[in-house]
Amino acid sequence: MISWDRLGQAQFDRVVEILIARQWRDIATVVSPDGRGGDGGIDIEVRHGSRRRIYQLKYFVDGFSGDKKSTRQRQVRNSYLAALRLDPPVAEWVLVVPSKLTPGEREFVQGLETTEGPKIAIHDRLDLDVLACDYPDVYRYLERDQMRENAQLYNREIDSLFGGIGDLTKRIGELGSIADSTDLDWGVQFSRTQDGVSCSVYPKHPQDHVRTPIVITLEGAFGPEHSAARRAMDRAVKFGASGTVVLPAETVRSVAISGPALLAGRHENVEVRLARLTQSPYIGSRSELHFLDGDGLLMATHEGEVTHMNRGTDGFALEISFYEHLHVELLFPHDRGLPGEGKISYNFRRIRPGDALGVVSLLRLLRRQGTFKVFVEANELMSLANDDSSVASSSASDEDLDFIESLAHDLQVVQTHCRTTFVMPDEVEPLDRINLRVARLLIEGHVVASPEAPTGFVTLTGTDTPELRALLSRSAEIRLTQRNFTLVFCGKHLVLGDVYAFHPHATPVNGGEALEALDAGRAAGLKVHLRPGDDAYFNLALASRMSDAMRLQTPTAWDLPGIDQPVHRCE
């Protein structure tokens, strides 16, 4: 059993606090005020709604009989009387002692209870043993046979795993239980990879980081060659910026850790990696950037999601993700007289066209000189006057952005029309780019020339008419129908619907052959191939958008930088 009488008062108080906190976790609020024994008779206070319960700790290892009877009884009585005066009133007063009380001692304590005062309960050694058994890590921590058990377990660890994965799982669990029992406030988690074993700690109670904090003290110095590490350290400490700070071993003279026994110690010449754990409730919140024109009027807004928010010694850091592909980091100093700093990172990998348009639009706004405001959940957080240096980004030329914006716009229109969705491709061949632009122009009701229509054909039925012979003898206006016209873009088939292919001066390529077939009476099934006069391609228009006025209309230019379109010659 646990030797409560050998713990000493400080350790006894600490263990009881932990047991009470564990007992009421997720049920009530547990507080241990400073100044025990002299703070109004409250060692531990438990509040459950309006109900108030007070635990009074008395480290009387040999009870309060014998030669210490009067002194200790007076202390117990005074503590209960102090509880009577508390406001709001106390519902229950619990005396906690490390010894097993005699019947006479119990009778004395219970006799203090008054009708107008709180009910009295007693937790002596037996009650504490039962409570400790509910929390094995605390019980193991206090057991005096712990060293023997650990040694036995170690002897098992060097055995072969004849029981297979079951033995391994059991032994890892046992080691985990022992690791957790090495400290009352902190548990230890560990994992093994080919690179070694990693350990981490976790609090057993929400307030453990306040009651028994883990303190890490670093000693070292940066050299000229460590400017990047120094910069990362400054951003993390001064502004609470995210990301892992890597301190090379040559910059770290020593690392001292005070905390759980398994981790405590001093280490020299080791690489240190520091990662800030943000606890901001705003993570995942909606954030907006409002861009103002020269007159202070709102000209554009973009909505994103907060991915990081934290404070440092000199200011705070805010990171926002837009369209899942653009990341803005803002470092804002507490001193409003100092300039802030911004950083933009982005990519267009596997991005949908609508999001790509948003990224390009936001990039252009962030690159311009002017003012923008930052809002989080509709609350204005800061206002920044942007100049060429305050917001830095990886460089993409205006020409690159123009290309991406044009491609995304065309693709969004075409995907909506075709009722299909897919991400933008990483590379686009010239023909694919032309096909996408032709598709968009057709959807918008334009007449457009297409490389997919360099020729056309009609199939003769065998019927011989003067009009047919005239068509086969010279150029003439012609209109062909293509059902479910499909263009291919980067391997994706885009079905646009019925399309007319037409030209005012279509010329038969094999007109002589067709006339001979008509004369011989064997023209049925013969294909007459047509070319678009002196032009390279036939003109196209969606059948649903076609009008008589469009028959002789000059086709709309593709207007694609870097791609030459054949000159339209026939009018």
Side-chain angles (χ1 to χ4, degrees):
M1 300 301 292
I2 298 172
S3 300
W4 296 96
D5 55 343
R6 298 181 183 178
L7 293 180
Q9 182 170 353
Q11 186 76 330
F12 173 76
D13 289 350
R14 183 181 177 215
V15 170
V16 172
E17 285 177 17
I18 290 172
L19 290 173
I20 299 302
R22 296 275 190 92
Q23 182 183 27
W24 292 101
R25 182 166 51 193
D26 300 327
I27 300 174
T29 302
V30 179
V31 178
S32 299
D34 290 336
R36 298 182 192 89
D39 190 16
I42 303 174
D43 283 349
I44 304 173
E45 179 181 3
V46 177
R47 291 204 180 201
H48 187 198
S50 60
R51 183 177 176 83
R52 193 180 187 196
R53 179 182 281 105
I54 298 299
Y55 289 82
Q56 185 68 47
L57 280 55
K58 297 297 183 182
Y59 191 66
F60 298 159
V61 295
D62 50 359
F64 38 92
S65 302
D67 60 344
K68 300 178 181 177
K69 177 178 179 179
S70 59
T71 300
R72 292 184 173 178
Q73 285 186 347
R74 183 171 63 253
Q75 293 178 23
V76 173
R77 181 184 296 107
N78 290 340
S79 295
Y80 181 72
L81 293 176
L84 286 174
R85 297 189 293 270
L86 293 175
D87 185 33
V90 177
E92 186 177 16
W93 182 81
V94 185
L95 177 66
V96 184
V97 293
S99 58
K100 184 176 181 180
L101 296 186
T102 66
E105 291 169 337
R106 283 185 167 274
E107 183 179 353
F108 166 76
V109 176
Q110 295 291 352
L112 297 175
E113 186 175 314
T114 63
T115 55
E116 68 276 11
K119 293 185 175 300
I120 292 178
I122 299 171
H123 281 7
D124 64 3
R125 186 179 67 194
L126 179 60
D127 299 291
L128 292 175
D129 283 342
V130 172
L131 185 57
C133 287
D134 289 336
Y135 305 100
D137 62 313
V138 177
Y139 190 86
R140 288 192 181 95
Y141 177 82
L142 297 171
E143 272 190 311
R144 290 312 178 220
D145 291 333
Q146 184 69 59
M147 291 181 62
R148 183 181 299 110
E149 179 183 336
N150 290 353
Q152 292 171 350
L153 181 58
Y154 173 76
N155 289 331
R156 288 184 57 207
E157 290 306 310
I158 62 176
D159 292 340
S160 298
L161 297 172
F162 293 119
I165 197 69
D167 270 5
L168 178 62
T169 302
K170 183 178 180 181
R171 295 183 192 183
I172 290 175
E174 289 173 339
L175 281 175
S177 297
I178 291 180
D180 281 350
S181 72
T182 59
D183 193 88
L184 288 171
D185 296 315
W186 297 92
V188 180
Q189 295 174 326
F190 53 88
S191 62
R192 176 188 176 274
T193 64
Q194 290 182 339
D195 296 330
V197 177
S198 62
C199 298
S200 61
V201 295
Y202 67 92
K204 297 179 180 179
H205 186 272
Q207 293 300 312
D208 285 345
H209 67 288
V210 176
R211 182 167 47 238
T212 56
I214 297 174
V215 179
I216 301 177
T217 304
L218 294 175
E219 292 184 4
F222 292 109
E225 68 277 19
H226 304 124
S227 59
R230 177 193 291 272
R231 170 66 176 155
M233 188 73 171
D234 284 345
R235 285 163 49 85
V237 173
K238 293 180 179 180
F239 293 94
S242 67
T244 300
V245 178
V246 180
L247 302 179
E250 63 267 24
T251 68
V252 181
R253 284 197 293 267
S254 67
V255 180
I257 303 175
S258 64
L262 284 183
L263 297 183
R266 183 181 178 87
H267 312 274
E268 297 180 352
N269 299 319
V270 293
E271 179 182 274
V272 174
R273 293 176 176 264
L274 303 174
R276 182 179 288 272
L277 301 178
T278 179
Q279 300 295 328
S280 172
Y282 290 103
I283 302 301
S285 297
R286 178 174 58 90
S287 179
E288 291 182 350
L289 300 186
H290 289 200
F291 294 88
L292 310 181
D293 63 15
D295 297 323
L297 300 177
L298 182 65
M299 58 180 291
T301 65
H302 284 266
E303 180 178 296
E305 179 180 305
V306 175
T307 58
H308 176 80
M309 182 183 286
N310 222 322
R311 288 186 176 276
T313 57
D314 294 7
F316 66 89
L318 173 66
E319 297 179 19
I320 313 168
S321 176
F322 295 91
Y323 308 106
E324 298 183 354
H325 285 77
L326 187 148
H327 193 78
V328 175
E329 179 190 47
L330 299 172
L331 304 183
F332 198 69
H334 296 315
D335 185 348
R336 298 300 179 93
L338 297 177
E341 180 183 338
K343 180 182 178 182
I344 307 170
S345 58
Y346 61 92
N347 69 81
F348 292 99
R349 293 185 296 274
R350 299 193 58 76
I351 190 172
R352 298 194 180 277
D355 291 335
L357 291 172
V359 169
V360 172
S361 172
L362 183 52
L363 275 174
R364 294 191 193 282
L365 290 166
L366 289 170
R367 288 179 172 185
R368 64 182 286 275
Q369 293 188 3
T371 301
F372 66 91
K373 296 183 177 182
V374 182
F375 289 78
V376 174
E377 292 295 350
N379 298 310
E380 183 176 344
L381 188 63
M382 67 180 84
S383 179
L384 297 175
N386 186 24
D387 57 31
D388 292 336
S389 60
S390 62
V391 178
S393 68
S394 53
S395 58
S397 66
D398 290 337
E399 183 178 324
D400 291 337
L401 294 183
D402 288 342
F403 175 82
I404 294 171
E405 184 177 42
S406 173
L407 181 70
H409 174 61
D410 287 0
L411 189 54
Q412 185 176 45
V413 171
V414 174
Q415 287 188 353
T416 301
H417 176 83
C418 297
R419 298 180 181 179
T420 185
T421 59
F422 52 87
V423 298
M424 293 177 59
D426 293 331
E427 296 183 359
V428 180
E429 296 296 330
L431 180 58
D432 291 317
R433 184 66 189 98
I434 294 170
N435 282 346
L436 184 64
R437 175 54 58 86
V438 167
R440 195 209 88 198
L441 292 174
L442 287 173
I443 292 166
E444 293 179 346
H446 294 271
V447 174
V448 59
S450 170
E452 302 293 346
T455 62
F457 68 87
V458 293
T459 303
L460 300 182
T461 64
T463 302
D464 189 355
T465 66
E467 293 80 12
L468 176 59
R469 286 182 174 272
L471 177 65
L472 295 173
S473 302
R474 64 180 186 276
S475 64
E477 181 181 354
I478 194 168
R479 183 174 73 181
L480 308 175
T481 302
Q482 173 66 54
R483 301 292 182 186
N484 289 324
F485 181 67
T486 301
L487 286 173
V488 177
F489 171 73
C490 296
K492 303 291 185 180
H493 289 72
L494 306 172
V495 181
L496 302 179
D498 294 348
V499 165
Y500 289 135
F502 55 95
H503 197 276
H505 305 291
T507 304
V509 176
N510 57 337
E513 177 189 1
L515 289 170
E516 290 178 2
L518 285 173
D519 291 340
R522 49 182 175 77
L526 179 67
K527 287 185 176 181
V528 179
H529 295 274
L530 305 169
R531 59 181 175 81
D534 293 330
D535 289 327
Y537 314 121
F538 274 90
N539 299 330
L540 303 182
L542 278 185
S544 60
R545 306 292 297 270
M546 185 71 178
S547 66
D548 287 340
M550 297 169 66
R551 292 172 32 248
L552 303 177
Q553 183 175 317
T554 300
T556 301
W558 301 333
D559 192 22
L560 293 171
I563 295 178
D564 295 327
Q565 180 174 358
V567 177
H568 177 70
R569 301 181 183 278
C570 297
E571 299 295 340

